[in-house]
Amino acid sequence: MAMVPEITCDMEYIYRDDDDSQFYEADGPNPKKGHLQYPDLCSGASLLEEDDIQLKFTSQPHRFHQTVVVVVAIEKMKHLNGSCAQLFRDNDLMNIFTSIFQEEPITFESCNIYESDSVFQFSSSQDCTIQDINQKCLTLSNASELKALHLNGYNINQKVIFSMNYFIGDIGSQKIHVVLCIKKNNLYLSCVMHNGKPTLQLEQIAHFPRRNVERRFIFNKTEINHKTEFESAEYPNWYISTSQLDEQPVFLGNIRGGQDITNFILDDLS
């Protein structure tokens, strides 16, 4: 590490921040312009004798890179040999840097967190029941088929409880991503292509992943005036839908505000 020698008045360093180009001049240093002042470095009175340089600093503040230039240059000039009559040029400064510092390559290791097509990772969950705006509740039939029907006192226990899991999704996306699971049976709603048409189905999964979830399980949840829509992330503009008729299967439809119902009301049980 460079050692700062004892400060004397034999040498003066005054820097002008407003013009870096004035550090060296073609005609040599000018005491009136406030540059690094030094006598003949090769004379008998040279301040470089016995590898010592005397400095005097002004109170004027200096930028970091300017200070580095001065310190490195001084340390190098301590060991200069031969004639010093030649002016110090930009190339000389570059040679000082290359002789002191060693260039090393920077190794970049790619991150594969977002390399998968599915970037969804678990965030939180809540339990809830779901019914459409016509007050038909979502239930599970004996054939493990999700249906919507009106419930009353004797069949109210058919209402299924969903575990709605929230996932962090695509970078920059403002959408709310959820996975819907019938809690009792570990049946997950998913969207697949069947006979050339996006179709809603149930998949039983014992240990559902908490990261890198496949897109077919993801629904974009939108709430407007306390009503909720579930849009398929795999097939945009296709929504979980119910029929106007009672006891019909829940399906994936691409018509909003029409005969089919795409608006639902959630009852939070958490």
Side-chain angles (χ1 to χ4, degrees):
M1 179 179 294
M3 302 297 295
V4 179
E6 182 179 352
I7 298 176
T8 70
C9 298
D10 295 328
M11 190 172 185
E12 177 175 314
Y13 171 52
I14 306 175
Y15 189 81
R16 295 182 60 176
D17 240 354
D18 57 341
D19 189 355
D20 290 354
S21 64
Q22 294 180 353
F23 191 86
Y24 304 109
E25 290 192 9
D27 297 332
N30 187 340
K32 297 181 180 180
K33 290 191 175 182
H35 298 291
L36 178 64
Q37 307 300 318
Y38 58 91
D40 183 359
L41 297 179
C42 297
S43 67
S46 173
L47 293 177
L48 292 177
E49 289 180 356
E50 298 180 359
D51 289 338
D52 192 12
I53 290 181
Q54 308 300 324
L55 300 177
K56 180 179 180 181
F57 291 91
T58 68
S59 60
Q60 186 173 356
H62 311 295
R63 289 175 293 182
F64 178 74
H65 78 276
Q66 297 162 350
T67 304
V68 170
V69 169
V70 173
V71 171
V72 173
I74 290 175
E75 288 299 311
K76 187 64 178 179
M77 286 189 293
K78 283 183 180 182
H79 307 286
L80 287 177
N81 294 317
S83 175
C84 299
Q86 185 178 355
L87 292 176
F88 195 82
R89 303 181 184 278
D90 291 342
N91 289 338
D92 298 322
L93 182 59
M94 181 59 67
N95 292 335
I96 291 175
F97 270 90
T98 55
S99 65
I100 295 177
F101 300 108
Q102 180 178 357
E103 182 178 357
E104 295 184 358
I106 298 176
T107 303
F108 174 77
E109 296 181 0
S110 60
C111 180
N112 60 3
I113 295 179
Y114 295 105
E115 288 182 357
S116 172
D117 290 337
S118 302
V119 298
F120 304 100
Q121 301 189 46
F122 177 79
S123 173
S124 61
S125 66
Q126 72 175 107
D127 292 343
C128 63
T129 58
I130 301 176
Q131 64 180 21
D132 65 20
I133 56 174
N134 283 358
Q135 298 182 339
K136 294 195 300 296
C137 296
L138 301 192
T139 66
L140 191 65
S141 70
N142 293 332
S144 296
E145 185 178 35
L146 194 62
K147 291 186 175 183
L149 68 152
H150 290 96
L151 298 178
N152 48 40
Y154 77 93
N155 62 359
I156 192 68
N157 59 349
Q158 295 184 31
K159 182 187 300 186
V160 296
I161 297 176
F162 287 89
S163 177
M164 186 164 61
N165 300 317
Y166 291 83
F167 282 75
I168 299 173
D170 302 313
I171 299 177
S173 175
Q174 301 298 317
K175 296 179 179 180
I176 299 175
H177 307 295
V178 298
V179 170
L180 294 171
C181 170
I182 299 177
K183 190 172 183 180
K184 182 178 180 180
N185 308 77
N186 287 329
L187 290 171
Y188 289 81
L189 277 67
S190 67
C191 303
V192 296
M193 187 67 69
H194 183 67
N195 294 331
K197 180 181 178 181
T199 303
L200 187 69
Q201 68 175 17
L202 294 174
E203 297 186 39
Q204 189 168 36
I205 302 175
H207 302 287
F208 195 81
R210 296 172 70 90
R211 57 180 299 171
N212 293 334
V213 177
E214 295 184 27
R215 191 175 289 270
R216 73 176 187 272
F217 293 103
I218 300 293
F219 294 92
N220 300 323
K221 177 176 173 282
T222 304
E223 289 190 29
I224 301 176
N225 296 327
H226 305 291
K227 299 179 180 63
T228 303
E229 288 182 339
F230 297 100
E231 178 191 22
S232 169
E234 181 76 8
Y235 303 104
N237 300 319
W238 287 80
Y239 301 84
I240 296 178
S241 306
T242 61
S243 171
Q244 295 285 347
L245 301 177
D246 202 20
E247 296 190 50
Q248 296 300 307
V250 179
F251 61 96
L252 208 60
N254 62 345
I255 300 176
R256 300 170 62 198
Q259 185 70 14
D260 299 330
I261 301 171
T262 58
N263 290 323
F264 297 90
I265 298 173
L266 277 59
D267 184 14
D268 188 4
L269 304 178
S270 300

